[in-house]
Amino acid sequence: MSTSSSAPADRRTFVRTALDLGDAVLRPWSRADAGSEALLDALVTAAADPAIALWNPMAAADRDAAGAWVEARDGGWERGTAASFAIVDAIDGTLLGCVNLRWVDRADGLAMIGYWLLPTARGRGLATRGVAAVTSWGFATADARRIEIAHAVGNEASCRVADRCGYLPEGVLRESFRFGDGEYHDEHLHARLAGDPEPEKP
């Protein structure tokens, strides 16, 4: 699935890699994307979507802000601290969504994964397939020990993605995160360990 086989000297460093889903590709965000008006406009559209604005608020209200958002994703790759993938259409490169894997405690091998899809990309299983691919990649290439998903209790779509990707439910984090509505919400915590069996392919 990976188009890059080079192993990092520090196993807990994310190395830029593309992951092929067939109808879509997960590729690292890069500073070059800040020069694409089409991508920047797609990010502005994503930030304005009610579901994304509520559950995954992002500072991309205009092209300048979207460009800064892209550069921040690129910076995570440069430091090896976060692996942020643009989900793009395999044929025309249209932006479909994003999957982000970041270290919570790098020394301990603890990471967290998050994701969003543009409205036009929903209903195709892309979030599930993207999270599954990045999860397997994180365990295999970055020596992650444990990867967590924390989502608002009201975000049922995210809960389904976690379940389908083999992230077991571990409990409720009370009023643990302030979401896009400015309110603190309870979150469901899910997690996978490197030694857990792979779920059936979504």
Side-chain angles (χ1 to χ4, degrees):
M1 180 176 289
S2 168
T3 61
S4 170
S5 60
S6 58
D10 176 356
R11 288 282 294 170
R12 286 183 173 153
T13 296
F14 298 124
V15 176
R16 294 179 197 260
T17 307
L19 305 172
D20 187 358
L21 300 182
D23 58 339
V25 175
L26 283 83
R27 62 159 183 79
W29 286 101
S30 74
R31 280 185 169 80
D33 292 323
S36 167
E37 291 185 355
L39 277 173
L40 296 181
D41 288 344
L43 284 171
V44 172
T45 298
D49 173 68
I52 294 174
L54 176 58
W55 303 130
N56 298 278
M58 49 192 290
D62 54 37
R63 283 182 179 172
D64 287 343
W69 185 92
V70 167
E71 290 187 4
R73 307 286 83 74
D74 181 81
W77 281 106
E78 285 187 350
R79 295 186 298 274
T81 58
S84 190
F85 294 89
I87 308 174
V88 299
D89 185 89
I91 296 175
D92 63 15
T94 301
L95 181 65
L96 304 173
C98 179
V99 179
N100 186 68
L101 182 66
R102 64 176 177 84
W103 291 119
V104 175
D105 186 333
R106 188 172 179 176
D108 192 44
L110 173 61
M112 181 167 282
I113 197 166
Y115 38 90
W116 53 262
L117 290 177
L118 281 156
T120 53
R122 294 169 192 162
R124 296 166 47 186
L126 280 171
T128 299
R129 289 185 284 140
V131 169
V134 175
T135 297
S136 296
W137 172 81
F139 284 137
T141 70
D143 200 30
R145 179 186 63 83
R146 171 185 166 95
I147 302 177
E148 297 178 343
I149 291 174
H151 66 82
V153 170
N155 188 351
E156 296 178 359
S158 194
C159 199
R160 290 192 293 271
V161 170
D163 289 340
R164 290 168 184 161
C165 291
Y167 282 78
L168 299 180
E170 295 190 342
V172 176
L173 306 173
R174 297 182 301 155
E175 295 187 9
S176 62
F177 190 79
R178 179 179 284 167
F179 283 86
D181 58 2
E183 300 292 329
Y184 284 97
H185 289 254
D186 293 351
E187 291 185 290
H188 284 157
L189 177 65
H190 302 251
R192 272 188 62 183
L193 303 179
D196 286 345
E198 284 282 338
E200 293 185 11
K201 283 198 172 184

